[in-house]
Amino acid sequence: MKNPMLEAASLLLEKLLLISNFKLFSSGAPGEDKARSSFQDINSFHRGDVLEVPRTHLTHYGIYLGDNRVAHMMPDILLALTKDRRLTQKVVSNQRLILGVIGRVASIRVDTVDDFAYGAEILVNRLDKSLKKKALRNEEVAQRAEKMLGTTPYSLLWNNCEHFVTYCRFGTAVSPQADKFCENLKIIIRDQRSVLASALLGLAAIICLGMASYTTLPAIFIPFCLWMAG
């Protein structure tokens, strides 16, 4: 049986990650009127390569399948609203992506290299060095990606595009980006100034809204939890 407290904490972490990286979705996302690269040197890509596109705060990943095709995980709220592939196969817009993250619905889909990169520089197989893991054979990597095509639950922390490509490339799903966010959050929680700040905010809420369960309990519970975690 799932622990509701853990689920609530997980959801809060994901929303914090979404807010902290909002520029990722508002900077050069598909569907925006930005100049896009009309050419990518796809001749240098090999089937099974990990392609990555650096963004403002995060990096988007995909697996090159050959013939100008990239498999990648994309949040998309439209998948929860229609089964019409003519609509869902269109390039995911900024609004569809953000709502897909909030709704935790995505697909592992195939797009062209240009649609995957939407004008940004593409880096190849950098995870091999940063993770210091032995990659599987390129053909096996591509076949793993092809078998996973279709709709999938989405989570910024537990099931994102980086989890997808690391599973395909190395056989283990990991996300250093999500891990780094959690580590930064631990630093904030362990900072005793966070306890003081939350206590002051709770006191301000009680003063402004009065003594009620929905103000008093959080005002006590949140600083206490931060204090114990620190």
Side-chain angles (χ1 to χ4, degrees):
M1 187 174 180
K2 292 183 177 180
N3 188 319
M5 291 295 292
L6 289 177
E7 287 189 343
S10 173
L11 184 61
L12 177 60
L13 283 174
E14 290 185 30
K15 301 319 173 196
L16 286 171
L17 182 57
L18 173 62
I19 293 169
S20 69
N21 294 288
F22 184 79
K23 288 183 181 180
L24 167 72
F25 306 119
S26 60
S27 176
E32 294 188 350
D33 297 328
K34 264 198 161 186
R36 294 169 54 152
S37 169
S38 60
F39 174 77
Q40 295 286 348
D41 187 14
I42 62 175
N43 293 324
S44 64
F45 302 153
H46 298 94
R47 178 172 162 84
D49 281 348
V50 172
L51 307 186
E52 51 185 278
V53 179
R55 286 293 161 197
T56 306
H57 295 293
L58 296 179
T59 299
H60 185 55
Y61 293 91
I63 301 292
Y64 187 63
L65 300 180
D67 299 325
N68 195 27
R69 298 175 302 132
V70 183
H72 59 130
M73 183 186 292
M74 281 291 287
D76 184 4
I77 193 62
L78 200 57
L79 296 167
L81 304 176
T82 180
K83 301 295 183 182
D84 190 342
R85 288 181 58 84
R86 292 175 299 176
L87 296 176
T88 57
Q89 278 301 112
K90 292 180 180 179
V91 176
V92 179
S93 67
N94 199 32
Q95 292 80 4
R96 284 167 57 186
L97 187 150
I98 294 172
L99 292 175
V101 172
I102 296 171
R104 306 179 75 173
V105 58
S107 70
I108 297 171
R109 53 183 286 147
V110 175
D111 284 308
T112 66
V113 171
D114 274 350
D115 285 341
F116 165 76
Y118 34 87
E121 177 188 9
I122 295 179
L123 306 174
V124 183
N125 293 333
R126 295 219 310 179
L127 282 175
D128 292 7
K129 293 182 179 179
S130 62
L131 293 182
K132 297 180 181 178
K133 290 179 176 286
K134 184 178 180 180
L136 301 173
R137 293 182 301 106
N138 271 36
E139 182 58 30
E140 184 177 352
V141 174
Q143 289 178 3
R144 279 175 173 247
E146 289 168 338
K147 288 179 181 178
M148 296 179 68
L149 295 177
T151 57
T152 181
Y154 185 81
S155 168
L156 279 166
L157 291 178
W158 319 121
N159 190 40
N160 60 40
C161 64
E162 194 170 21
H163 289 104
F164 162 64
V165 299
T166 52
Y167 170 76
C168 293
R169 183 77 175 173
F170 308 108
T172 305
V174 295
S175 177
Q177 295 181 106
D179 293 343
K180 183 178 179 181
F181 171 78
C182 291
E183 286 300 318
N184 290 337
L185 191 63
K186 286 180 184 178
I187 293 172
I188 294 172
I189 291 174
R190 289 170 179 166
D191 188 337
Q192 295 304 310
R193 289 174 295 182
S194 300
V195 180
L196 178 61
S198 63
L200 291 175
L201 287 173
L203 181 61
I206 292 173
I207 293 172
C208 294
L209 303 175
M211 292 284 290
S213 59
Y214 60 84
T215 57
T216 307
L217 290 178
I220 298 172
F221 185 69
I222 295 175
F224 175 76
C225 288
L226 290 173
W227 175 263
M228 294 302 294

